[in-house]
Amino acid sequence: MRAVKLIKKIWTAGRIFRDKGFSGVMDMIRRKAELSQKLLATKHITTITLDGCTFDLKRLPNTPMKLALLEQDYEAFERRAVMRYVNSNEPVIELGGCIGVVACITNRLLTNPKMHIVVEVNPNAIPILEDSRRRNQCKFEILNEAIAYHADSITFNPASDLWSNALAQWNGEAKVTVPTTRLQDIVNQRGFTSFTLICDIEGHEYDLLLNETEVLQKVNTLILETHARIIGEDKTAEILRKLENAGFRTIDQDSFVVVMARDGHPLKNAPQSAA
């Protein structure tokens, strides 16, 4: 295990040196030192409550995600968007559940909390996701699968920080293999005629849009985290353009997260237009 961690550190430092030079490596060291100092000052805190839901911190690695949780900044816009725009009477499919913060907040809003499917590709996150579900008395279904196409399974290196899982990147952990699924399969198996889609799949939203245009017609509200840093600005712009051509309009956004709704679909709490 120590050897794997050392290899990961060397690989990360090498990548940063290639991209940003010596100053980039020094900046990484400085940021890691600041992170360690802040986490050390809060090591006595073992749980955190966000928007009425409680999450365990003890099993989380000491990463920026843990600090974001402690500072109440974790997925802040997504959490607000869920509370403002999710229709409590519609099923929800969430792609990219991570440790379950957005999932738990969403689930407690739903009239039928069993009509909520959470897909998470990283098997290391599943025990924490299950604990979050139990701790907050939620009833969403968990699928440890990958949204991917043209293969029944996919092998990748899961992210050790649990926060990002771009399937094409090496993230320092041993390879794992998980089954694949499609959004269309999830919808068909459960008979959903319409639903809310929450999507944070580290750039694979581009493949989703290319392969699943038909089932996206059943989405009334979409909360989408885009990943231009992974797939580039051009593909990100193409995603938004195709969604608009498919009948969606942007109703809210913040940085790289966008909320879209289908034309004519009544919103839970739509922003009021100026008179």
Side-chain angles (χ1 to χ4, degrees):
M1 182 62 69
R2 289 182 179 178
V4 171
K5 289 182 178 179
L6 178 60
I7 291 171
K8 181 183 178 183
K9 289 179 180 178
I10 294 172
W11 179 85
T12 301
R15 176 177 55 80
I16 293 174
F17 182 77
R18 287 193 304 272
D19 294 343
K20 299 182 179 180
F22 181 73
S23 62
V25 175
M26 294 305 297
D27 183 59
M28 177 195 70
I29 294 172
R30 177 186 58 78
R31 286 186 284 107
K32 283 186 174 293
E34 290 176 354
L35 173 66
S36 297
Q37 186 177 25
K38 289 179 179 179
L39 289 175
L40 182 62
T42 57
K43 67 178 182 178
H44 61 286
I45 302 175
T46 58
T47 62
I48 191 73
T49 299
L50 300 173
D51 300 317
C53 294
T54 302
F55 304 95
D56 183 26
L57 297 177
K58 296 189 297 295
R59 300 166 71 177
L60 296 181
N62 289 328
T63 65
M65 182 179 78
K66 189 173 186 177
L67 183 61
L69 286 162
L70 285 162
E71 294 181 343
Q72 304 276 317
D73 290 333
Y74 179 79
E75 306 287 22
F77 179 77
E78 289 92 328
R79 286 156 39 208
R80 291 195 299 272
V82 160
M83 290 186 287
R84 186 169 191 178
Y85 299 113
V86 166
N87 185 333
S88 60
N89 295 316
E90 280 196 337
V92 174
I93 298 177
E94 183 177 343
L95 307 180
C98 197
I99 64 169
V101 171
V102 172
C104 289
I105 293 168
T106 301
N107 196 253
R108 293 176 67 167
L109 298 173
L110 301 182
T111 303
N112 186 350
K114 292 184 178 180
M115 301 291 278
H116 180 188
I117 314 301
V118 178
V119 182
E120 172 52 47
V121 68
N122 189 344
N124 298 330
I126 298 300
I128 303 174
L129 179 57
E130 291 174 338
D131 178 75
S132 297
R133 178 177 62 181
R134 177 195 59 77
R135 188 179 294 268
N136 293 289
Q137 300 181 3
C138 294
K139 297 181 180 179
F140 53 80
E141 179 183 352
I142 298 171
L143 301 179
N144 182 201
E145 298 176 343
I147 298 294
Y149 307 94
H150 316 303
D152 294 331
S153 63
I154 191 166
T155 300
F156 71 106
N157 300 91
S160 57
D161 65 1
L162 305 179
W163 206 351
S164 59
N165 284 292
L167 299 181
Q169 295 180 355
W170 185 71
N171 291 303
E173 294 291 294
K175 288 183 180 294
V176 298
T177 299
V178 299
T180 62
T181 190
R182 300 179 306 154
L183 181 60
Q184 182 75 67
D185 295 333
I186 297 171
V187 171
N188 288 349
Q189 289 163 8
R190 291 155 184 85
F192 294 165
T193 56
S194 65
F195 62 99
T196 295
L197 178 62
I198 302 171
C199 183
D200 180 5
I201 51 176
E202 302 301 318
H204 297 282
E205 62 271 13
Y206 185 76
D207 294 331
L208 177 75
L209 187 63
L210 290 182
N211 289 278
E212 309 236 38
T213 53
E214 182 178 348
V215 72
L216 289 174
Q217 296 298 317
K218 296 183 178 181
V219 176
N220 284 326
T221 305
L222 169 63
I223 301 174
L224 172 68
E225 181 170 321
T226 61
H227 298 87
R229 71 185 189 279
I230 296 175
I231 63 174
E233 296 288 351
D234 290 344
K235 285 186 176 180
T236 299
E238 182 183 349
I239 289 170
L240 298 178
R241 184 171 61 252
K242 287 187 174 183
L243 286 169
E244 289 173 356
N245 291 339
F248 288 94
R249 69 190 187 283
T250 299
I251 57 173
D252 205 350
Q253 63 184 95
D254 177 74
S255 185
F256 43 80
V257 180
V258 60
V259 183
M260 307 185 84
R262 184 164 297 286
D263 288 337
H265 177 64
L267 296 173
K268 177 182 176 182
N269 287 305
Q272 298 298 313
S273 58

